[in-house]
Amino acid sequence: MTNTRNFRFITLFEKTRNQLFTIFLLILSGFQVLAQTDFRNGYYITLENDTINGLVDYRGEVRNSQTCVFKKNDDTEPMQFNPNDIMSYRFNDGKFYISKQINTGDEEKTVFLEFLVNGITNLYFYRDINNYTYFIEDKNGKLLALTNETITSNVDGKGEVQRNSNKYIGILRATFSDCKEIQPQINSVGLGHKSLINITKSYHNYVCDTEECIVYEKKVPSAKIRFAPVLKTGVANFHFDKGIFSNYTFDPELYFGAGFLMNTVFPGINEKLSFEAELNFNLYNFHGFYEVQNGLIKESYDVYHDLLSLQPTISVKYTFPTGKVRPTMAIGIYADIFAGNDQKVVTVKQHPDTVYTYESYETPLTNAVFGGFAQLGLNYELENHTFFTNLRLCYSTNQDQGIKNIIQSVNLNLGMFLNKRREE
């Protein structure tokens, strides 16, 4: 009867886990649809030089260089503009894109260039799927690509040697040739946003005192860290895997935990992407049963594990920008380190004329198990706090003396960030 009950428990756990995994994939597909838009305040300028204010879809650098998706307000249908349809578009106090024709080496085409510096010479940035390029526009309106190709040459005694062409340094020298004050600085200019913006701005300030040099690049804030207490509950299943230990049937058990979470966002990398470190304490109570008939002797074994787990986790999390209620998804790794371990095996041997019962305290349990998890959740943004909840599917294992320990769990976490991260 007990074996039947345990089998039903395990079957139910397996079915529930599989159903949750299916639901996880379905919700993930829905989140991907939600992630397709992120409208922010902005405007576009028509070919007739009229400014139309509204909402502009904020995407990655590649997509922003290809198209502008705009709508007047939240209730209107979005419109899509190609670089030939409008002069430019901009996010308020943020990135500014202007329509320009460029030479990619293979063809001439019109794209949206990110406008970085507006001065005596203009600086632009362009990214496609394979590469990125900076362009400087000289006083005659000619776009010059700033490149730094890798050149491979054969050197006696050394074979093939690679070096950078530093072609962009020569272009900058020629473009800024009428300003001897900044010539010494050009050799140390790197092919990146900050370095190119600084040298272009310095040139403008030296040669022009009638107009202000405008830098459109949005200043990227430093890393932002916030903390949250976490409460959790879930269902966990434990399993031994080797020899006689594989015959133990463990019931899925409800467990509880609590901990603390640190969330870090690097806006310069991706403001929707964050890194989380978490430390939890979990209380597990596992019971396993094994029964065998040896002739006239019936033997049964009950294993009890009352475990206090110290559980550190590290994960990468993506938050979808959809308003006050924001879906999240994450993947991570973790360990269950058993800081407290009360374990025993109760053995019962039933002979035809007597029953022997005794306890032992040695079980093939490792000191820790290691694994990974996938997670879906929701953030609820309030004025001063952010509440969050997430559903986490976990699998961990470890092997000691040829015996594999496995813990599978599904848990629900609840928490609140104490210092809300401002949206930029």
Side-chain angles (χ1 to χ4, degrees):
M1 181 70 178
T2 303
N3 280 336
T4 302
R5 180 175 64 87
N6 288 339
F7 176 76
R8 288 175 179 173
F9 265 121
I10 296 299
T11 302
L12 178 61
F13 182 83
E14 293 291 336
K15 286 183 178 179
T16 302
R17 185 188 63 185
N18 293 336
Q19 289 171 353
L20 285 171
F21 184 72
T22 302
I23 294 172
F24 184 95
L25 293 177
L26 290 174
I27 295 175
L28 178 58
S29 299
F31 281 2
Q32 289 175 336
V33 173
L34 288 174
Q36 297 305 308
T37 58
D38 179 12
F39 283 95
R40 303 184 182 187
N41 291 329
Y43 60 86
Y44 74 90
I45 298 177
T46 68
L47 297 177
E48 293 76 29
N49 207 28
D50 295 323
T51 300
I52 311 298
N53 292 293
L55 301 171
V56 183
D57 190 12
Y58 187 91
R59 306 298 288 274
E61 291 173 339
V62 175
R63 179 67 181 273
N64 285 344
S65 296
Q66 297 171 345
T67 186
C68 167
V69 179
F70 175 89
K71 59 183 181 179
K72 288 289 293 181
N73 52 58
D74 288 327
D75 299 325
T76 58
E77 288 295 319
M79 300 178 290
Q80 182 168 310
F81 298 109
N82 294 321
N84 290 314
D85 299 328
I86 59 177
M87 289 177 59
S88 60
Y89 72 93
R90 188 183 182 188
F91 301 94
N92 287 355
D93 300 320
K95 290 181 179 290
F96 186 9
Y97 288 88
I98 187 166
S99 176
K100 289 282 186 179
Q101 188 176 60
I102 64 171
N103 188 331
T104 65
D106 298 325
E107 61 176 338
E108 294 274 347
K109 67 176 182 178
T110 304
V111 299
F112 286 121
L113 296 181
E114 184 181 352
F115 206 167
L116 298 180
V117 178
N118 183 357
I120 296 298
T121 58
N122 299 327
L123 180 67
Y124 305 97
F125 176 73
Y126 172 72
R127 182 184 291 277
D128 59 19
I129 296 176
N130 301 315
N131 209 340
Y132 67 89
T133 307
Y134 291 92
F135 292 91
I136 195 159
E137 187 175 29
D138 63 18
K139 292 184 286 291
N140 298 319
K142 184 178 181 181
L143 278 181
L144 304 171
L146 302 177
T147 59
N148 190 18
E149 298 90 353
T150 299
I151 299 174
T152 302
S153 57
N154 289 309
V155 178
D156 291 341
K158 294 183 179 180
E160 286 190 352
V161 175
Q162 291 185 336
R163 63 181 179 85
N164 293 325
S165 68
N166 290 327
K167 184 178 178 180
Y168 72 98
I169 296 293
I171 294 175
L172 291 176
R173 283 189 172 281
T175 305
F176 302 149
S177 61
D178 57 338
C179 181
K180 63 180 182 180
E181 291 85 355
I182 68 168
Q183 292 298 315
Q185 303 174 32
I186 294 178
N187 284 336
S188 61
V189 172
L191 201 58
H193 272 43
K194 184 177 180 180
S195 190
L196 289 173
I197 287 173
N198 287 341
I199 196 68
T200 306
K201 185 177 179 181
S202 294
Y203 170 73
H204 178 95
N205 291 338
Y206 272 116
V207 301
C208 181
D209 56 8
T210 59
E211 296 179 8
E212 182 182 359
C213 181
I214 303 173
V215 177
Y216 291 113
E217 189 203 30
K218 181 180 179 180
K219 291 185 178 179
V220 178
S222 58
K224 297 179 180 179
I225 301 175
R226 53 182 180 170
F227 301 90
V230 179
L231 296 176
K232 63 189 296 188
T233 184
V235 176
N237 189 41
F238 184 75
H239 181 63
F240 289 127
D241 188 11
K242 186 176 181 182
I244 184 175
F245 300 110
S246 299
N247 296 321
Y248 278 92
T249 300
F250 285 84
D251 300 336
E253 300 287 351
L254 187 68
Y255 76 96
F256 299 93
F260 207 66
L261 180 149
M262 180 179 72
N263 177 279
T264 305
V265 179
F266 297 95
I269 299 175
N270 189 324
E271 59 191 32
K272 306 181 190 79
L273 199 67
S274 61
F275 301 89
E276 294 192 335
E278 189 173 349
L279 184 63
N280 294 316
F281 290 91
N282 300 323
L283 290 174
Y284 297 114
N285 301 106
F286 295 120
H287 170 233
F289 180 80
Y290 168 52
E291 189 175 71
V292 64
Q293 185 78 38
N294 291 322
L296 297 177
I297 301 174
K298 182 178 181 180
E299 300 178 6
S300 64
Y301 304 86
D302 284 276
V303 178
Y304 297 90
H305 288 307
D306 296 327
L307 307 174
L308 172 61
S309 162
L310 179 66
Q311 186 185 78
T313 74
I314 299 175
S315 60
V316 179
K317 181 176 180 180
Y318 189 90
T319 302
F320 296 95
T322 58
K324 284 190 174 182
V325 179
R326 302 184 177 186
T328 66
M329 58 183 292
I331 56 172
I333 57 176
Y334 71 99
D336 269 320
I337 303 169
F338 302 125
N341 187 350
D342 184 9
Q343 56 182 316
K344 67 179 179 179
V345 179
V346 178
T347 303
V348 178
K349 293 187 177 182
Q350 298 182 16
H351 294 257
D353 55 350
T354 187
V355 176
Y356 298 95
T357 301
Y358 56 91
E359 295 181 1
S360 61
Y361 301 93
E362 294 293 332
T363 66
L365 178 67
T366 59
N367 293 323
V369 289
F370 307 91
F373 66 86
Q375 173 184 298
L376 291 178
L378 292 173
N379 285 2
Y380 184 67
E381 304 284 345
L382 296 178
E383 184 176 354
N384 298 315
H385 303 288
T386 300
F387 292 93
F388 64 88
T389 181
N390 53 64
L391 181 68
R392 184 177 290 179
L393 306 180
C394 305
Y395 179 91
S396 59
T397 183
N398 198 5
Q399 187 163 319
D400 185 27
Q401 298 179 353
I403 300 174
K404 182 182 290 187
N405 294 188
I406 301 171
I407 296 180
Q408 302 173 79
S409 65
V410 179
N411 61 69
L412 183 69
N413 298 345
L414 300 171
M416 180 185 72
F417 287 115
L418 301 181
N419 53 320
K420 180 180 179 295
R421 177 171 58 87
R422 291 182 183 176
E423 296 301 321
E424 297 298 328

